[in-house]
Amino acid sequence: MNKNIDILERAIKQAAEQKARIIVTPEDALYGWKFTRETVFPYLEDIPDPQVNWIPCQNPHRFGHAPVQTRLSCLAKNNSIYVLANMGDKKPCSSLNSTCPPNGYYQYNTNVVYDTEGKLVARYHKYHLYSEPQFDVPEKPELVTFNTTFGRFGIFTCFDIFFHDPAITLVKDFHVDTILFPAAWMNVLPLLTAIEFHSAWAMGMGVNLLVANTHHVSLNMTGSGIYAPNSPKVYHYDMKTELGKILLSEVDSHPRVSPAYPIAVNWSAYATTIKPFPVQKNTFRGFISRDEFNFTELFENAGNLTVCQKEFCCHLSYRMLKKEENEVYVLGAFTGLHGRRRREYWQVCTMLKCKTTNLTTCGRPVQTAFTRFEMFSLSGTFGTEYVFPEVLLTEIHLSPGKFEVLKDGRLVNKNGSSGPVLTVALFGRWYTKDYVYNSCGTCNPAVTYLLISTVLMIVAL
């Protein structure tokens, strides 16, 4: 852990030298994963509620043995920078409590934040675990915020972003300006690569999102970024090397009052008022991961198409610059509970490239494309207000400044033709239709020896 904090120390010093105000580091980056409850326990510390007003750097033994918290606190204090790190918390419990684990401790995947004086100002226990048997689920989702002179911040971790609480509540009810988001995110094409979904979430929710993702190529983990409501500021995606990277950018500290803040969107306004385009006779079924979509092929260089699944319909108008003979694109629609667990309710409209010209490959991962679109307009009859607009280009690149969402819910290109398109999507989450369950089990492996830090340099307005 000290070796990993040594890496963090170099990153913090580099960020501070460039006048950054806050740094975010990845999930599990200090100790890795592949733990059981027993093997992780020696690495956990008792992390108190921030209300205790504690600077570990000045009083390291106040809450027992806390070497990691002490080092983090001193790094923040000595470099005058806010630091978010992910580590493990342990809380004793009574055997009289039926939920108390056999070792007498609850164990939590935890984010901590230290201010420029080294004081602990925020603690968040991850609620939606993903393959993490070493950790427990908190009694309820925690809504953690802290205020600075450069904006109001909220915190959650990795898999939490797919759910209403804490993610949506922090934005809608607590009015945070920026979300700090450590992750150990495994990329899944065509809809859920880190840079693709995270940039879309920031745009759909209208907040800054600072993502520090673990960089572990063999586990398909990469993709960090600083995303503003109107466009990505900077991002990093690299599946070729194991080298980490620090990202720096200026963002509006209060984006809602910025002239560039996106307009309010009614995601179904256009799609529910137009007469549907002709539904093709050749509609077929295909899968994205475990979700069965209805697809229809884009046969011509240009056209207007509609595809529906149950009561949910997706409309596409498009014009290709040139239709490549060896590339096939489809329009797809999905509405329903997602994946093997069938817990999260999705509504998705997507135009995507198939892996080959064989239609059975539509929805499978593909990373390269050559077809550019002179125009596209994608919309859907969404039943939810939570929709996230995605555009992913060849070689896994974003398309900043080349698309926008109109107030009637259409996702359209702008400023000339697009780059070669892998995926254009409107990704909807209908939280009130989720299958309610108790979160369990584990997120995201993370590397013990490589660290990508997202660094934010905020301009206070």
Side-chain angles (χ1 to χ4, degrees):
M1 290 180 76
N2 273 320
K3 290 180 179 179
N4 292 330
I5 298 176
D6 289 343
I7 298 173
L8 175 58
E9 181 173 2
R10 293 195 293 270
I12 288 174
K13 288 181 177 179
Q14 183 180 342
E17 287 170 357
Q18 298 186 61
K19 308 301 182 184
R21 307 291 294 276
I22 191 166
I23 183 170
V24 183
T25 61
E27 182 183 23
D28 297 335
L30 296 186
Y31 51 77
W33 64 101
K34 294 184 179 177
F35 287 107
T36 65
R37 292 187 61 87
E38 293 73 26
T39 59
V40 80
F41 188 79
Y43 303 100
L44 308 180
E45 297 181 5
D46 183 3
I47 305 171
D49 188 306
Q51 292 182 351
V52 299
N53 194 27
W54 181 39
I55 300 177
C57 190
Q58 295 179 349
N59 190 358
H61 303 295
R62 181 179 170 190
F63 295 96
H65 189 59
V68 174
Q69 294 179 83
T70 300
R71 275 201 75 181
L72 294 172
S73 169
C74 291
L75 286 172
K77 180 177 183 292
N78 295 339
N79 293 279
S80 298
I81 188 173
Y82 279 76
V83 174
L84 181 147
N86 177 265
M87 57 182 295
D89 187 12
K90 59 182 180 182
K91 289 289 177 280
C93 54
S94 170
S95 59
L96 299 178
N97 185 334
S98 61
T99 64
C100 184
N103 70 342
Y105 285 88
Y106 294 116
Q107 302 176 182
Y108 299 117
N109 179 330
T110 307
N111 298 332
V112 290
V113 179
Y114 300 93
D115 69 9
T116 55
E117 297 178 348
K119 183 169 71 174
L120 178 68
V121 294
R123 180 196 67 185
Y124 170 72
H125 297 137
K126 182 180 179 182
Y127 186 75
H128 298 283
L129 302 179
Y130 189 90
S131 301
E132 298 167 88
Q134 70 272 36
F135 290 125
D136 296 297
V137 178
E139 184 178 355
K140 60 183 179 181
E142 298 173 354
L143 301 168
V144 175
T145 66
F146 64 96
N147 293 314
T148 72
T149 58
F150 48 93
R152 182 172 175 83
F153 290 80
I155 309 169
F156 51 81
T157 308
C158 204
F159 199 41
D160 288 328
I161 200 171
F162 282 115
F163 300 90
H164 189 277
D165 292 327
I168 302 301
T169 300
L170 284 174
V171 177
K172 290 293 187 180
D173 297 341
F174 287 74
H175 308 291
V176 296
D177 301 299
T178 300
I179 294 290
L180 307 180
F181 183 64
W185 188 283
M186 294 181 182
N187 292 291
V188 182
L189 287 164
L191 298 173
L192 290 177
T193 64
I195 61 173
E196 173 187 27
F197 183 74
H198 300 158
S199 60
W201 195 90
M203 181 175 287
M205 294 306 299
V207 292
N208 300 319
L209 181 67
L210 278 59
V211 182
N213 192 20
T214 297
H215 187 68
H216 197 315
V217 172
S218 64
L219 291 177
N220 207 28
M221 289 183 181
T222 188
S224 296
I226 298 173
Y227 307 110
N230 60 323
S231 183
K233 291 295 186 178
V234 61
Y235 67 92
H236 176 74
Y237 183 99
D238 179 12
M239 289 294 292
K240 297 177 181 179
T241 74
E242 293 284 5
L243 297 176
K245 188 174 183 178
I246 294 178
L247 303 178
L248 289 120
S249 181
E250 296 182 357
V251 300
D252 290 322
S253 57
H254 303 285
R256 289 181 179 84
V257 298
S258 167
Y261 193 70
I263 59 174
V265 176
N266 182 334
W267 289 102
S268 62
Y270 177 81
T272 55
T273 55
I274 67 165
K275 181 180 179 181
F277 301 132
V279 177
Q280 304 299 306
K281 295 180 180 179
N282 65 327
T283 297
F284 63 97
R285 295 178 180 179
F287 285 86
I288 296 180
S289 298
R290 296 174 182 265
D291 298 326
E292 187 177 58
F293 278 64
N294 286 351
F295 289 126
T296 189
E297 184 179 351
L298 280 60
F299 280 109
E300 307 297 334
N301 282 1
N304 301 297
L305 299 174
T306 292
V307 65
C308 299
Q309 186 174 90
K310 301 176 185 176
E311 74 289 347
F312 179 62
C313 292
C314 302
H315 308 306
L316 174 69
S317 298
Y318 71 95
R319 184 165 58 252
M320 301 175 184
L321 278 178
K322 179 185 177 183
K323 192 176 190 301
E324 301 289 339
E325 292 298 324
N326 62 343
E327 293 191 329
V328 170
Y329 285 80
V330 293
L331 171 66
F334 172 77
T335 184
L337 293 170
H338 157 68
R340 175 177 52 85
R341 293 182 301 270
R342 296 288 186 243
R343 290 169 176 169
E344 307 99 54
Y345 199 98
W346 290 12
Q347 287 192 317
V348 180
C349 292
T350 182
M351 178 186 75
L352 56 83
K353 182 197 168 186
C354 301
K355 187 171 184 178
T356 71
T357 55
N358 185 331
L359 295 182
T360 62
T361 68
C362 298
R364 296 182 189 174
V366 58
Q367 297 190 33
T368 59
F370 295 94
T371 301
R372 298 173 183 268
F373 285 77
E374 186 178 351
M375 183 275 289
F376 60 77
S377 172
L378 180 66
S379 61
T381 58
F382 291 95
T384 175
E385 64 179 291
Y386 300 108
V387 180
F388 312 116
E390 302 181 340
V391 177
L392 191 66
L393 304 181
T394 188
E395 303 289 352
I396 320 299
H397 289 290
L398 299 180
S399 187
K402 298 287 287 183
F403 71 93
E404 63 182 333
V405 175
L406 306 182
K407 64 181 181 179
D408 61 8
R410 283 177 289 170
L411 171 57
V412 300
N413 70 308
K414 68 175 185 177
N415 297 330
S417 62
S418 71
V421 169
L422 292 177
T423 307
V424 176
L426 291 169
F427 187 110
R429 278 287 283 117
W430 200 340
Y431 300 106
T432 56
K433 285 183 171 286
D434 282 2
Y435 176 76
V436 179
Y437 68 104
N438 290 324
S439 172
C440 63
T442 110
C443 181
N444 324 325
V447 66
T448 60
Y449 54 91
L450 292 173
L451 188 65
I452 287 186
S453 299
T454 301
V455 180
L456 172 67
M457 185 161 58
I458 290 187
V459 178
L461 298 180

